[in-house]
Amino acid sequence: MGVVLVRRRPVVVPKGMGLWLLLVAGYLVSAAMLGESPPGTYGEFGAGRLIGYGMRLVLYVSLVVVVLYLANLSERELPQRTLVRMMGGLFLTTVAGGLLGVLAPRFEFTSPVEMVLPDWISGNPFVQNLIHPTAAQTQHVLGHASPRPEAPFEWANAWGGNCSVLLVWFVVGWWVYGGPARRVVCAVVVAVAAVPVVYSLNRGLWIGLGVALLYVVVRGRARLAAGVVLVAVAGVLAGPLGSIVAQRLDSPHSNQIRAFTVAATVAAATHSPVIGYGNTRNAHGNYRTVTTGKTAWCHECGHPPLGSDGQFWLLLITQGFTGALLYVAFFAGAIRRFWRDRTPIGQAGTLVMILALLYMFIYDGLITALTLYLISFAILWRNAGEHRP
């Protein structure tokens, strides 16, 4: 995509991308703090910290390329509805992956990338999530081992957030702009999607869907919202899914963990409020004890890194309050600028920008979530016609 942009003149830059470029520039500056650690945290400066920083930097820069590439394609080269239906097609893949996680949660395989990487890289838990395909994560959310779908994404929370974003584009591409056959497929797929949505045990996803329905009603599309609700409720009531939802709401086991992590993140960020620390840090202990950590019999034990409970908190520790404010300003500015676009694509894109701000307190945007947010931004900008004379 970068090569295509270099060969194409002139290159149009969407309004608002300056904020994202400032975010990238600030991240370059934050590299100066990679060797430092705020009070109450631990960890040595080494290859792992540099690799994590490099991965995030590459992602932030590559998203600039993706947005510019999509923004500079003409309607003839890539029609808007085609791009929207591509996003809807990824929703079909997401639902299929969710069903795989429910029906065959132990399914996994070794990827070609995993085969060629040395053990000291592929053995890292974070890297393993990215290169080793699995159908589900098995966690004790309900007090017993429960599979949470994650295919085809990195982890269960990524599946939840991405599912709601892609659902928005699926409804627009297959229902709003679809004929009778596509609408039948849309209704069936949404009903089927209720199964992995419930089994994901993902409260953030459920809140996001509620916000999306409220938004649809506010924007004057109550009939569409009612139809989606009826189809989804029918899917939930067709089996034991209702009881699973009740069990999950009665098991808020992660609340104390998140509260501890967020408080520790904010406290650490105050020691470098302008440029942050370039990468995450580990807090001493957790909300129960100061002696937590990995052991020979529990490799999953230990407290998650600071900033792992949402993109906003990640930006606080990596880029300080400045980075977090730039991120918020980018998506809030898009909402303000495109709110008056009442076309189906314009309203859908604005909804995704709202979900991006909601999920920044719940989900880490790396890797796929940020990609979907920025592609949605490009769709929204293209739809407004600002790139045309």
Side-chain angles (χ1 to χ4, degrees), residues 228-254:
V228 173
V229 169
L230 288 175
V231 172
V233 168
V236 171
L237 295 180
L241 301 183
S243 63
I244 295 177
V245 173
Q247 292 179 54
R248 179 64 181 100
L249 296 178
D250 289 337
S251 304
H253 84 295
S254 63

Side-chain angles (χ1 to χ4, degrees), residues 288-333:
R288 287 181 175 175
T289 175
V290 296
T291 60
T292 183
K294 294 181 181 180
T295 65
W297 55 272
C298 184
H299 296 287
E300 298 297 324
C301 290
H303 196 272
L306 299 183
S308 60
D309 291 317
Q311 185 67 21
F312 184 83
W313 315 116
L314 175 66
L315 288 167
L316 279 186
I317 189 68
T318 58
Q319 293 184 248
F321 293 91
T322 305
L325 288 175
L326 285 171
Y327 183 88
V328 172
F330 175 79
F331 290 104

Side-chain angles (χ1 to χ4, degrees), residues 51-388:
I51 292 174
Y53 173 85
M55 284 187 61
R56 292 186 181 92
L57 179 61
V58 168
L59 175 65
Y60 293 153
V61 173
S62 67
L63 291 178
V64 175
V65 176
V66 170
V67 172
L68 294 181
Y69 176 79
L70 292 175
N72 283 272
L73 292 179
S74 67
E75 182 68 13
R76 179 183 58 82
E77 292 171 310
L78 180 60
Q80 273 285 81
R81 294 189 185 184
T82 299
L83 182 53
V84 169
R85 284 173 178 160
M86 286 178 178
M87 297 286 274
L90 186 53
F91 177 74
L92 294 174
T93 306
T94 302
V95 173
L99 292 175
L100 179 66
V102 173
L103 301 175
R106 296 184 180 180
F107 175 81
E108 60 180 294
F109 63 91
T110 302
S111 69
V113 173
E114 189 177 5
M115 293 178 184
V116 300
L117 283 179
D119 292 339
W120 67 275
I121 296 179
S122 63
N124 181 280
F126 176 74
V127 177
Q128 269 284 302
N129 277 326
L130 300 179
I131 66 174
H132 185 73
T134 55
Q137 283 183 296
T138 300
Q139 299 177 344
H140 292 74
V141 176
L142 301 179
H144 56 81
S146 305
R148 300 180 64 199
E150 63 177 354
F153 304 112
E154 310 94 298
W155 35 72
N157 281 345
W159 187 92
N162 294 346
C163 179
S164 62
V165 169
L166 293 170
L167 171 62
V168 172
W169 294 118
F170 179 71
V171 170
V172 172
W174 289 65
W175 183 271
V176 178
Y177 289 126
R182 283 182 179 270
R183 290 190 171 189
V184 171
V185 172
C186 181
V188 172
V189 171
V190 171
V192 171
V195 176
V197 164
V198 171
Y199 273 96
S200 70
L201 305 176
N202 202 317
R203 292 174 300 171
L205 166 59
W206 301 345
I207 294 172
L209 293 176
V211 170
L213 289 172
L214 178 61
Y215 170 87
V216 171
V217 173
V218 170
R219 296 308 297 266
R221 296 185 177 271
R223 292 177 59 185
L224 177 60
V228 173
V229 169
L230 288 175
V231 172
V233 168
V236 171
L237 295 180
L241 301 183
S243 63
I244 295 177
V245 173
Q247 292 179 54
R248 179 64 181 100
L249 296 178
D250 289 337
S251 304
H253 84 295
S254 63
N255 290 357
Q256 291 176 305
I257 299 174
R258 284 180 175 271
F260 173 86
T261 308
V262 168
T265 300
V266 173
T270 58
H271 294 280
S272 181
V274 179
I275 63 173
Y277 288 92
N279 204 341
T280 60
R281 299 292 189 274
N282 292 317
H284 285 297
N286 61 21
Y287 73 98
R288 287 181 175 175
T289 175
V290 296
T291 60
T292 183
K294 294 181 181 180
T295 65
W297 55 272
C298 184
H299 296 287
E300 298 297 324
C301 290
H303 196 272
L306 299 183
S308 60
D309 291 317
Q311 185 67 21
F312 184 83
W313 315 116
L314 175 66
L315 288 167
L316 279 186
I317 189 68
T318 58
Q319 293 184 248
F321 293 91
T322 305
L325 288 175
L326 285 171
Y327 183 88
V328 172
F330 175 79
F331 290 104
I335 296 170
R336 179 190 60 81
R337 196 158 50 250
F338 299 113
W339 182 263
R340 294 183 180 179
D341 186 349
R342 298 191 62 84
T343 64
I345 292 178
Q347 291 185 346
T350 303
L351 172 57
V352 174
M353 299 299 100
I354 293 173
L355 290 176
L357 290 178
L358 168 68
Y359 288 151
M360 71 179 180
F361 296 111
I362 308 172
Y363 300 137
D364 188 345
L366 309 175
I367 301 290
T368 51
L370 278 179
T371 305
L372 297 181
Y373 299 159
L374 269 293
I375 291 176
S376 299
F377 172 81
I379 295 175
L380 184 58
W381 184 80
R382 281 167 53 106
N383 190 69
E386 294 183 6
H387 65 303
R388 302 188 184 97

